[in-house]
């Protein structure tokens, strides 16, 4: 028996599909994901429409998606996936698009703070192996320049004994740094 | 000693232009067992056939090979000729040297050689042929109709009107099925009861129809024309010969709080009941698990006291009757997907989230609200009502990928009925696609949108929750850039998926018919045999095969009735003898069959039975396979399965096939 | 059975009371928890936002350490950590290639067969068998159990049976003598990872949750996640601005609630550390008759 | 002279045989190397017959029937396929060149496909040359093993 194999030209869509094992055409655009998404009111492109844009592959679609704010707002709450009739793992698509947006330097300006927070968070983990909330706060403030924002309610938290001024560390912080380095290296130094 | 005749046809020049027919005839004449060989211009012409007949007689031929066109073209012609000449028609084989040789190859030695190879192959086969005789089976001209919905009713009436006997088996106390529950029907909005009731009465009164309600098929054996069916008559506790249907019993019965199935749980009935006022027969049964007499050890007994006809019989037991029928029509209909299936829609949790059938009852003049659309929780007339299409259908995640086909239409109908009764009210329909592909169907949906101002919103609802007496419906409008749409509704109607009857699988196993993964019965061919099943003599009607509306159910019912009537048009059935047989040997072995029954597992037609082989003293010697020739269709799958070659296919036997292979390869 | 414990970063910092109350309850029932030695951060939302491999490698390291330590069950009290660790376990066990890659990054071998328990699973499995003898108080109040998204989704790793209407925490609260209420926002998202960077969104989402609980007469909201707690408790000023009304329902960790019913003093359970005062809860405790 | 392979085609009556008829009525030309043996259904094809064909000098074999859901007998072709999968792995295991057997689906409407199948198979087998290795194989163990194969 001979079974033919199909070959497609590599496109941004096929890259997304391959990277995360989701088939974009499974989505039949019912919109149930969007209807239940807690962030729908804040998003610039609705979740179902992100998929539609990927499906249609009209000129410039990659840019449009990678520079959208929605991909940064998505909380990976999986409300969409848990109700999607076609079992499209939208949060995974969002994950991938975010990472790609970062790699390609297309992050929506409005997502700057969100990105700063994630970076500061990881930085704290990289240095201590654990999150140090005070350190994170300082780092985030520097990155986002939101100096006035009372991000972690530090004063009241400290008063309630909830903030550790010095970080807890894993015994071997080098080990964690090594994991970060290996992963960064394997991706050609980009992060 | 075989004496084979070989007849090479020129087909005008169709064959002779590329194949050296004279040479083929000459060489064929030299093959072992060949007593006569000749070529001729048109074998199928009258002179050609005469030539064959004469040759058979003259040369005392025991078999013939006609090397000509495809057997699919003229095998019948030449078999008849052989028969005329006095030999069994199955001693005739064709060698296809036209479609498979002369038309596809250029004139060459290789082409002539291939023609000769094929002739040699068929000569080898025919030498192994055996006389076969058409199988004749008698036909019992009575049909069994299982299920008394609109499909079963239509089929029964058609067959009965053609003059044949019909036995109808309905598991509920009344016939009528889902259609008797409907309010008005699309696309004309005529009253369902008005068109249904006369047909139900006709069934009850038809001299050719025997109706068994509150009954089920227990077992089926036999084959086309000759089925033996055991029917279980569940104990009704009421003697229908005496009962007049006066109703005194159910008016007095004190067990009044039993959810009423006919009204989809939106009302109550008594323990002794007739399901609805127009029921046929309009006589009651006692629902024993809910009757005080049966649950409390003989207490109550009121119905017996009040019955003027002394019809109540608490001691009645389930009874079984055996009937013989020639054809079976399965019309057991469908179910709707029920609670627990839509946790995100709160179905089963919020009283005012209902399904389509419940809406039918609310809209029905004979329903619990006398046709006024009021919500179940507090009886208020809803000001805003939301219909959710595709609730569970086309939903891979919920295991139902298919479209339920009828719900687009009944949802439009529901929205319309609501608007007709509540002009000020607002009706919304959340939908994905509108599937209204019947005669006057799309026009019907357009009317709902254009004239009755039903709001159609393209998008699926994510969630429904209750807040301050309202149902919050979280939807989306995908035609407006995916804008979220939240509606505060008073009532929500889910067009829940049409699913197979809950007992479909067990019935299919009793009948030996196939079903698909969703348990809908399978037709023999999706296009060309859409009402027949794989088992000859068993037909399908209505929604038991797939979701269907009334016009489709009725058409299919009439089609299956015509198949039954066709079957009954002669006294016996003739079938080709190309069937499997289990070999027979002399005692003490009787047969080489070991009774492993591998063949039984693979037979697509359930044609293989077991046979107990006994000695003269009646002691069991062995259990072996036996082919029911009435069921066998001659595919031969069993033959390839049998490890010790104990089962063989007449016309394509192991011996014949092996001879063909050897002859083809050994010039 | 040796029960492992993965506190996660928050329980060492901003949600110390969750940690303390969990230990207090366990101790009362004679159950010991072994902290996974040298555990590190799971990466939470940040890692999977920025780098998929990192999002797997960090939890995988912890899993590997737990295995090395010979633990079979591990309790993960934070929903985010639970989601990351259970998700990683799921992905690693279903994909050998991914497993090999991640093992390479962390320089450790994995079988990924430790069982990961949420706090309510832990309570049901290890505390319930003996808890009745320790329960001395009845939490005489209506409690809204809030599960959020990370325990209920995606379905492959959900820690609850019915993802649209989970009941596991409700069962724990019923044990504690409270009346769990049926409400609409049990599993809606609180905004989780956007707490710091988009407080406005968190206030909006968390506001809806608190409002629904209040509308249905809840006297407390019970959570099993430090992030949910932070959003529902500490973000109350922003929520107040958003809702334009002040809702004072306290937010308790489930271990604190159960601890109260077991007669553990409020300060030992860290109830004083909350932003919204918890006296209302403490005050409605009824002593059970002996 | 070039090597001309002998190929036997085991086909079902309803689909592939009719497809080959259609190639004829459409006068589609193809190689003369393939001769057909007609079976009611691919389900009827006993794989020992294939072995017999090789034993008697066939260089290649085609097995062809109805497409998966089109079987005249609903499921005969599925059984054939299931048996074939097990059987092929067995042949592979024995070092048998399973490429000499082509399994295909040709419907009654696919005359052109049939012609193409014949030409491709002929070409393939021509390249492979005469099937002399078969004689070296002790295929008799197959006969024994086949009993177990069918029970799979
Ligand atoms: C909400 C709703 C609204 C609809 N509105 C319309 C409409 O407006 N217009 C329209 O054309 N169609 C409509 N339909 C479709 C219509 O109901 C069906 O087409 C029709 O009922 C199918 O008839 P049936 O006889 O095949 O099945 P059914 O009506 O289901 O009848 C099957 C019968 O078989 C009996 N039975 C089942 N199993 C057994 C067994 N094992 N032994 C014996 N008896 C058995 C059942 O008790 C029942 O009496 C609607 C359907 C729904 C759900
Ligand atoms: C592009 C296209 C693709 C399709 N694909 C599919 C498909 O994939 N699957 C599917 O199931 N269906 C398909 N169909 C539908 C299918 O063709 C029809 O369902 C089917 O042909 C209907 O058959 P019929 O016999 O009713 O009508 P027709 O096929 O139209 O036959 C009517 C016959 O009556 C003759 N006739 C007409 N008037 C007279 C007269 N006055 N006197 C005597 N004879 C007369 C005509 O010459 C003709 O032979 C397709 C249709 C189209 C247009
Ligand atoms: S719910 Fe699923 S199918 Fe529907 S639009 Fe969203 S991703 Fe597509
Ligand atoms: S996972 Fe993202 S897109 Fe999906 S519902 Fe949650 S926030 Fe919306
Ligand atoms: S028998 Fe067939 S081949 Fe011969 S003349 Fe008739 S049609 Fe042509
Ligand atoms: S009271 Fe007697 S006669 Fe009247 S309906 Fe009941 S059983 Fe029949
Ligand atoms: S005996 Fe049963 S059915 Fe009759 S009246 Fe009493 S409860 Fe009703
Ligand atoms: S008929 Fe309409 S509502 Fe019903 S499943 Fe099909 S598309 Fe959905
Ligand atoms: S005929 Fe063959 S396969 Fe069937 S039971 Fe007998 S031995 Fe087994
Ligand atoms: S030939 Fe086919 S239909 Fe007949 S018994 Fe064998 S497997 Fe069944």
């Amino acid at each position: 028996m001979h079974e033919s194999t199909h070959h497609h030209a590599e496109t941004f869509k096929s890259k997304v599909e391959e990277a995360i094992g989701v088939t974009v055409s499974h989505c039949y655009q019912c919109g149930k994901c969007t209807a239940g998404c807690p962030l729908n009111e804040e998003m610039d492109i609705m979740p179902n429409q992100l998929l539609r844009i990927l499906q249609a592959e009209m000129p410039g679609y990659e840019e449009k998606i990678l520079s959208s704010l929605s991909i940064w707002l998505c909380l990976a709450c999986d409300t969409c996936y848990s109700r999607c009739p076609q079992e499209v793992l939208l949060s995974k698509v969002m994950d991938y698009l975010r990472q790609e947006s970062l790699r390609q330097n297309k992050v929506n300006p409005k997502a700057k703070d969100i990105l700063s927070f994630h970076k500061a968070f990881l930085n704290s983990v990289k240095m201590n192996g654990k999150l140090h909330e005070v350190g994170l706060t300082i780092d985030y403030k520097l990155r986002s320049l939101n100096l006035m924002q009372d991000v972690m309610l530090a004063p009241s938290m400290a008063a309630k004994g909830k903030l550790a001024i010095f970080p807890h560390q894993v015994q071997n912080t080098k080990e964690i740094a090594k994991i970060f380095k290996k992963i960064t290296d394997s991706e050609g130094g980009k992060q | 000693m075989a004496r084979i005749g070989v007849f090479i046809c020129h087909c005008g020049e169709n064959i002779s232009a590329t194949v050296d027919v004279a040479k083929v005839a000459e060489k064929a004449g030299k093959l072992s067992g060949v007593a006569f060989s000749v070529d001729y211009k048109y074998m199928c012409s009258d002179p050609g056939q005469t030539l064959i007949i004469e040759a058979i007689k003259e040369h005392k031929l025991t078999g013939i090979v006609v090397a000509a066109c495809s057997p699919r073209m003229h095998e019948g012609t030449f078999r008849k000729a052989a028969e005329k000449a006095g030999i069994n028609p199955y001693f005739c084989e064709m060698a296809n040297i036209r479609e498979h040789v002369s038309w596809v190859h250029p004139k060459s030695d290789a082409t002539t050689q291939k023609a000769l190879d094929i002739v040699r192959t068929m000569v080898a086969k025919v030498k192994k042929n055996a006389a076969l005789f058409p199988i004749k089976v008698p036909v019992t001209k009575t049909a069994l109709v299982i299920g008394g919905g609109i499909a079963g009713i239509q089929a029964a009436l058609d067959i009965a009107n053609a003059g044949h006997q019909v036995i109808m088996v309905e598991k509920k106390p009344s016939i009528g099925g889902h259609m008797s529950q409907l309010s008005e029907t699309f696309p004309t909005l005529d009253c369902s009861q008005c068109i249904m009731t006369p047909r139900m009465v006709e069934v009850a009164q038809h001299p050719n129809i025997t109706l068994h309600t509150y009954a089920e098929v227990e077992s089926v054996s036999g084959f086309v024309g000759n089925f033996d069916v055991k029917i279980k008559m569940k104990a009704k506790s009421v003697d229908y010969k005496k009962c007049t249907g006066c109703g005194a019993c159910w008016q007095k019965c004190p067990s009044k709080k039993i959810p009423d199935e006919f009204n989809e749980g939106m009302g109550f009935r008594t323990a002794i009941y007739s399901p609805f006022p127009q029921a046929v027969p309009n006589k009651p049964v006692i629902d024993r698990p809910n009757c005080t007499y049966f649950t409390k050890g003989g207490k109550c007994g009121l119905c017996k006291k009040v019955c003027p006809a002394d019809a109540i019989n608490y001691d009645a037991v389930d009874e079984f009757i055996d009937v013989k029928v020639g054809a079976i029509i399965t019309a057991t209909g469908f179910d709707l997907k029920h609670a627990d299936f839509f946790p995100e829609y709160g179905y089963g949790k919020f009283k005012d989230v209902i399904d389509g059938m419940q809406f039918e009852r609310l809209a029905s003049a004979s329903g619990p609200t006398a046709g006024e659309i009021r919500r179940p929780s507090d009886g208020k007339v809803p000001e805003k009502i939301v219909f959710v299409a595709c609730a569970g259908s086309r939903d891979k995640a919920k295991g139902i990928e298919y479209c339920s086909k009828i719900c687009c239409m009944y949802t439009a109908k529901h929205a319309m009925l609501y608007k007709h009764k509540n002009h000020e009210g607002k009706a919304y329909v959340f939908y994905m696609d509108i599937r209204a592909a019947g005669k006057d169907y799309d026009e019907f949906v357009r009317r709902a949108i254009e004239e009755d101002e039903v709001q159609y919103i393209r998008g699926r609802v994510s969630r429904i929750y209750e807040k301050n007496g309202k149902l919050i419906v979280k939807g989306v409008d995908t035609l407006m850039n995916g804008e979220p749409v939240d509606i505060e509704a008073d009532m929500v109607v889910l067009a829940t998926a049409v699913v197979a009857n809950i007992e479909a699988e067990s019935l299919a196993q009793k009948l030996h018919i196939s079903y698909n993964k969703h348990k809908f019965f399978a037709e023999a061919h999706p296009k060309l045999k859409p009402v027949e099943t794989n088992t000859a003599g068993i037909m399908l009607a209505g929604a038991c095969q797939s979701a269907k509306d009334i016009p489709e159910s009725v058409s299919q019912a009439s089609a299956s009735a015509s198949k039954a009537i066709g079957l009954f048009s002669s006294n016996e059935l003739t079938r080709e003898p190309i069937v499997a047989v289990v070999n027979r040997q002399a005692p003490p072995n009787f047969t080489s069959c070991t009774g492993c029954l591998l063949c039984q597992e693979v037979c697509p037609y359930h044609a293989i039975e077991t046979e107990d082989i006994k000695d003269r003293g009646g002691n069991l010697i062995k259990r072996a396979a036996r082919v029911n020739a009435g069921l066998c269709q001659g595919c031969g799958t069993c033959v390839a399965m049998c490890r010790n070659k104990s089962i063989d296919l007449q016309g394509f036997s192991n011996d014949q096939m092996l001879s063909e292979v050897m002859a083809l390869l050994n010039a | 059975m040796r029960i492992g414990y993965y506190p996660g970063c928050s329980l060492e910092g901003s949600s110390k009371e969750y940690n303390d109350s969990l230990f207090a309850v366990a101790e009362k029932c004679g159950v010991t928890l072994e902290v996974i030695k040298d555990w590190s951060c799971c990466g939470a939302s940040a890692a999977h936002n920025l780098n998929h491999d990192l999002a797997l490698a960090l939890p995988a390291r912890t899993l590997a350490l737990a295995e090395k330590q010979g633990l079979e069950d591990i309790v993960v009290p934070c929903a985010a950590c639970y989601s990351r660790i259970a998700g990683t376990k799921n992905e690693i066990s279903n994909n050998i290639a991914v497993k090999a890659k991640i093992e390479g990054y962390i320089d450790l071998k994995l079988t990924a067969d430790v069982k990961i328990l949420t706090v309510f699973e832990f309570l049901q499995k290890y505390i319930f068998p003996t808890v009745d003898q320790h329960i001395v108080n009845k939490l005489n109040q209506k409690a809204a159990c809030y599960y959020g998204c990370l325990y209920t989704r995606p379905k492959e790793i959900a820690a609850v049976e019915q993802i649209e209407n989970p009941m596991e925490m409700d069962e724990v609260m019923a044990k504690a003598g409270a009346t769990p209420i049926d409400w609409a926002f049990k599993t809606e998202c609180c905004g989780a990872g956007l707490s710091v960077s988009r407080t406005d969104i968190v206030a909006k989402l968390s506001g809806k949750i608190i409002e629904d609980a209040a509308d249905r007469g809840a006297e407390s909201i019970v959570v099993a996640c430090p992030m949910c707690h932070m959003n529902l408790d500490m973000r109350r000023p922003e929520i107040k601005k958003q809702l334009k009304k002040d809702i004072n329902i306290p937010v308790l960790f489930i271990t604190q609630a159960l601890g109260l019913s077991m007669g553990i003093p409020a300060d030992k359970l860290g109830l004083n550390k909350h932003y919204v005062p918890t006296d209302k809860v403490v005050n409605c405790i009824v002593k059970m008759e002996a | 002279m070039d090597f001309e392979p002998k190929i036997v085609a085991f086909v079902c009556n309803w689909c592939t045989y009719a497809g080959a008829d259609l190639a004829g009525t459409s006068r589609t030309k193809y190689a003369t190397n393939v001769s057909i043996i007609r079976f009611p259904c691919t389900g009827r094809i006993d794989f020992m017959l294939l072995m017999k064909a090789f034993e008697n000098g066939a260089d290649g074999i085609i097995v062809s029937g109805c497409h998966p859901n089109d079987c005249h007998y609903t499921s005969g072709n599925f059984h054939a396929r299931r048996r074939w999968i097990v059987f092929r792995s067995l042949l592979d295991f024995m070092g048998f060149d399973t490429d000499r057997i082509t399994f295909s689906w040709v419907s009654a409407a696919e005359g052109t496909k049939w012609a193409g199948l014949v030409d491709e198979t002929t070409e393939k087998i021509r390249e492979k040359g005469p099937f002399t290795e078969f004689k070296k194989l002790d295929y008799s163990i197959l006969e024994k093993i086949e009993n177990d194969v069918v029970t799979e």
Side-chain angles (χ1 to χ4, degrees), chain C:
Chain C
M1 179 78 78
R2 288 170 59 196
I3 314 160
Y5 179 55
Y6 176 84
C9 308
S10 304
L11 275 81
E12 282 196 341
S14 53
S15 304
K16 220 175 150 323
E17 69 274 26
Y18 188 13
N19 183 74
D20 297 348
S21 55
L22 172 59
F23 271 91
V25 166
E27 193 187 337
K28 192 123 204 171
C29 293
V31 175
T32 8
L33 295 170
E34 286 182 50
V35 175
I36 298 171
K37 291 198 192 80
D38 205 33
W39 62 271
S40 47
C41 173
C42 70
S45 56
H48 81 98
N49 273 315
L50 302 186
N51 189 307
H52 186 67
D53 284 351
L54 190 60
L56 292 174
L58 290 172
R61 178 176 183 270
T62 295
L63 280 174
L65 293 177
E67 279 170 26
K68 230 165 80 180
Q69 203 170 323
L71 302 168
E72 290 162 62
D73 278 5
I74 53 174
V75 186
V76 181
C78 165
C81 303
Y82 169 79
S83 169
R84 294 311 321 155
I85 297 175
T88 299
K89 179 181 147 149
N90 186 50
E91 194 160 339
I92 285 179
S93 10
N94 289 325
N95 191 329
I96 329 169
V98 168
K99 179 168 174 266
K101 182 161 93 177
I102 299 301
E103 285 178 336
Y105 288 142
I106 61 173
D107 262 337
L108 287 166
K109 288 277 167 220
L110 267 168
T111 56
D113 55 9
V114 283
K115 201 165 159 15
I116 299 154
L117 299 181
T118 64
V119 153
F120 43 86
E121 284 171 320
F122 163 73
L123 294 176
Q124 295 206 353
K125 185 166 173 186
Y126 290 105
I127 301 299
F128 270 26
T130 56
V131 78
D132 288 339
Q133 62 197 80
H134 300 290
I135 290 186
V136 292
N137 294 329
K138 189 171 151 60
L139 253 60
N140 195 18
Q141 53 154 237
K142 286 186 185 167
C145 294
Y146 174 68
Y147 297 74
C149 18
L150 298 167
Y151 285 134
T152 54
R153 295 180 292 266
K155 50 197 164 200
E156 289 77 8
I157 59 162
V160 298
E161 206 170 55
Q162 308 169 49
I163 62 169
E164 295 285 352
N165 187 22
M167 292 303 290
E168 285 79 356
M169 287 170 70
D170 295 60
E171 284 158 19
V172 174
M173 287 313 290
K175 252 295 177 236
T179 311
I181 62 162
D182 183 23
W183 59 309
F185 281 72
K186 264 186 175 178
T187 68
E188 291 291 301
C189 178
C190 66
L194 294 178
S195 188
V196 176
S197 49
R198 288 295 303 269
T199 316
D200 56 325
I201 291 179
V202 167
K204 211 163 156 180
L205 301 184
S206 298
K208 287 187 197 165
I209 294 168
I210 289 175
E211 194 179 25
D212 189 62
D215 287 353
R216 290 172 204 260
E219 292 159 282
S220 68
I221 297 175
V222 179
V223 300
C225 168
M227 301 231 282
C228 303
H229 193 269
M230 177 155 79
N231 286 341
L232 299 181
D233 180 54
M234 281 199 294
R235 293 288 172 219
R236 211 53 81 82
E238 289 87 348
I239 292 172
K240 182 176 166 187
K241 250 184 265 160
Q242 176 74 37
L243 294 178
K244 300 194 179 62
K245 61 180 160 185
D246 204 355
I247 299 177
N248 283 321
I249 305 179
V251 185
L252 267 70
F253 286 109
I254 192 158
T255 41
Q256 294 177 311
L258 190 63
L260 283 175
S261 76
M262 293 164 83
I264 301 171
D267 53 349
K268 196 170 174 206
L269 295 167
L271 281 163
N272 51 346
K273 297 196 170 180
H274 292 186
Y275 191 92
V276 180
T278 52
D279 350 338
K280 273 200 238 158
V281 182
V282 180
N283 292 342
C284 68
I285 291 176
V286 183
K287 271 253 168 286
M288 295 217 298
E289 281 133 58

Side-chain angles (χ1 to χ4, degrees), chain A residues 80-118:
Chain A
C80 48
Y81 169 61
S82 75
R83 296 184 187 141
C84 170
Q86 292 290 92
E87 305 185 297
V88 177
L89 240 174
L90 196 41
S91 59
K92 236 177 158 180
V93 175
M94 296 284 200
D95 259 9
Y96 181 81
L97 293 174
R98 254 187 316 262
Q99 294 170 22
E100 198 57 29
S101 156
L102 187 62
R103 269 195 284 270
Q104 296 193 22
N105 227 340
K106 301 242 166 84
V107 179
N108 185 302
K110 287 194 196 138
K112 202 184 74 226
D113 290 356
I114 301 177
L115 178 60
S116 302
F117 175 76
H118 293 322

Side-chain angles (χ1 to χ4, degrees), chain B residues 146-152 169-172 174-179 182 184-187 215-217 331-336 355-358 360 406 410 413-414 441 498 501 503 507 541-544 548-551 553:
Chain B
I146 311 173
I150 183 61
V169 173
E170 164 61 55
K171 73 172 172 192
K172 298 207 174 133
S174 169
I175 57 171
H178 285 102
M179 190 175 160
L182 302 181
E184 280 154 33
T185 54
F186 62 75
E216 276 165 37
V217 169
T332 47
F334 66 99
D335 279 333
L336 286 180
D355 70 17
M357 200 43 99
Q358 288 175 310
E360 292 287 342
I406 56 172
Y410 77 60
K413 173 181 78 173
H414 290 172
Y441 281 17
V498 168
N501 185 314
E503 290 158 14
L507 183 64
C544 60
K548 282 193 184 63
D549 56 22
I550 297 164
S553 299

Side-chain angles (χ1 to χ4, degrees), chain B residues 374-395:
Chain B
R374 296 178 172 281
R375 58 186 209 168
S377 62
D378 56 9
K380 274 217 274 284
V381 174
E383 286 163 28
K384 265 191 204 170
I385 183 163
V386 169
F387 295 90
V388 180
C390 303
S393 309
R394 306 172 68 193
D395 193 330

